[in-house]
Amino acid sequence: MVKGDKHMKYYLVTGASKGLGAALLETLAAENTTLVALSRSGLSENLKLSLIDKGAVVIDQQGDLSDEKALPVLAQQMMQAVDLTAPEQIILINNAGGVAPIAPFYKAEDEAVLANIHLNLSAPMIFVKYFGQAFSKLSCDRRIITVSSGAGKNPIFGWNAYCASKAAVDMMTRVIGLEQGEAGIKAISFGPGIMDTDMQSTIRSSTVEDFKDLERFKKFKENGDLLTPSVVAAVIKRLTVEPVEQGAIVSVKDYL
């Protein structure tokens, strides 16, 4: 348990070591802020030093969110990092995710499908459960922001597991909003658009047989159409402070 400033803001971020997760930490780091960062590899020393230089307390946690048996333990560890004395704000950002397997539904390997569902859907559902158990009785501002995708709204050839899991977290957000009401924990599902991250590299390394839109995605990179993680992180920071409809499904396009 961190015994820091009584009016500390807490940001609990999954998939925090690179890409959008690392950009979120950089964007949210400030005085009187605790960053609880969960990733498989842990944070680099350079990133940690940068966050500390900005005045943040950094709690670096490691774990694999595609391992279903580890999820409850990892979720509880993250929630236990919050000092319940008198927090000003507690934000969970379900950012970790992955697109693999990229293949028609009948070709995808069993283990890859299951890992995708655990990472993109099981993990957010377990983390919101323990977030609710830990903080539902508090009166401070509490928000759950789950990074979704346009792929959860439109079918994409070769992305069966990814599209299905992202559609599911949109509905998860709506259900939490319905259950919590306006006075409870605020739930938001956020579509980040197409970003210049490792996920895009994975997509571009697939084959046209497995992914019909391959050339279109290659052109996003060539034409400079990909959003930077820092731009998207700045929008998510707005979602941590601005009024948002309970259970909202929003897109980065709504804010740019």
Side-chain angles (χ1 to χ4, degrees):
M1 195 74 76
V2 177
K3 301 299 181 184
D5 191 292
K6 283 191 173 183
H7 302 290
M8 188 74 72
K9 293 182 179 181
Y10 290 89
Y11 299 103
L12 319 179
V13 183
T14 67
S17 63
K18 57 187 178 179
L20 179 57
L24 279 166
L25 298 181
E26 291 277 16
T27 301
L28 297 169
E31 296 286 344
N32 299 325
T33 294
T34 293
L35 303 171
V36 187
L38 175 62
S39 63
R40 262 186 309 193
S41 60
L43 305 185
S44 70
E45 285 304 311
N46 285 343
L47 178 55
K48 273 195 253 191
L49 289 173
S50 174
L51 303 175
I52 292 167
D53 284 345
K54 293 179 179 180
V57 174
V58 181
I59 301 174
D60 187 10
Q61 299 182 337
Q62 287 182 248
D64 183 358
L65 296 184
S66 64
D67 178 1
E68 61 173 321
K69 293 180 181 177
L71 293 178
V73 173
L74 294 172
Q76 290 175 81
Q77 286 175 346
M78 181 169 260
M79 307 315 150
Q80 288 165 0
V82 176
D83 177 6
L84 299 179
T85 310
E88 178 182 338
Q89 185 182 54
I90 311 171
I91 309 285
L92 169 63
I93 304 176
N94 286 311
N95 166 66
V99 68
I102 299 176
F105 72 94
Y106 59 90
K107 288 173 62 178
E109 295 289 341
D110 296 351
E111 288 185 3
V113 171
L114 291 170
N116 180 297
I117 297 303
H118 293 322
L119 176 61
N120 292 327
L121 176 58
S122 302
M125 293 194 77
I126 294 297
F127 275 65
V128 301
K129 169 193 170 176
Y130 285 101
F131 187 92
Q133 285 188 354
F135 310 128
S136 61
K137 294 181 180 178
L138 299 182
S139 58
C140 66
D141 183 16
R142 298 144 299 153
R143 304 187 189 199
I144 295 167
I145 301 171
T146 300
V147 176
S148 183
S149 172
K153 301 156 188 69
N154 301 290
I156 297 177
F157 187 105
W159 289 13
N160 190 31
Y162 187 70
C163 289
S165 59
K166 292 302 185 180
V169 294
D170 283 348
M171 183 56 74
M172 176 193 78
T173 295
R174 293 175 62 191
V175 172
I176 294 169
L178 176 66
E179 292 176 350
Q180 287 290 299
E182 287 306 315
I185 296 168
K186 186 78 75 177
I188 305 158
S189 186
F190 172 73
I194 304 174
M195 286 182 293
D196 196 1
T197 62
D198 287 351
M199 184 184 291
Q200 286 299 311
S201 299
T202 300
I203 291 166
R204 291 193 300 272
S205 67
S206 61
T207 67
V208 72
E209 290 78 18
D210 289 337
F211 179 48
K212 294 295 188 188
D213 293 321
L214 178 61
E215 290 306 316
R216 184 164 68 95
F217 273 70
K218 285 183 176 179
K219 281 187 167 42
F220 289 149
K221 176 69 171 178
E222 293 167 7
N223 298 337
D225 294 333
L226 300 175
L227 294 172
T228 64
S230 59
V231 166
V232 179
V235 173
I236 294 179
K237 184 176 182 179
R238 290 177 59 182
L239 294 176
T240 69
V241 293
E242 294 182 5
V244 182
E245 181 183 347
Q246 175 64 290
I249 312 293
V250 301
S251 167
V252 69
K253 296 175 185 176
D254 302 329
Y255 294 85
L256 295 180

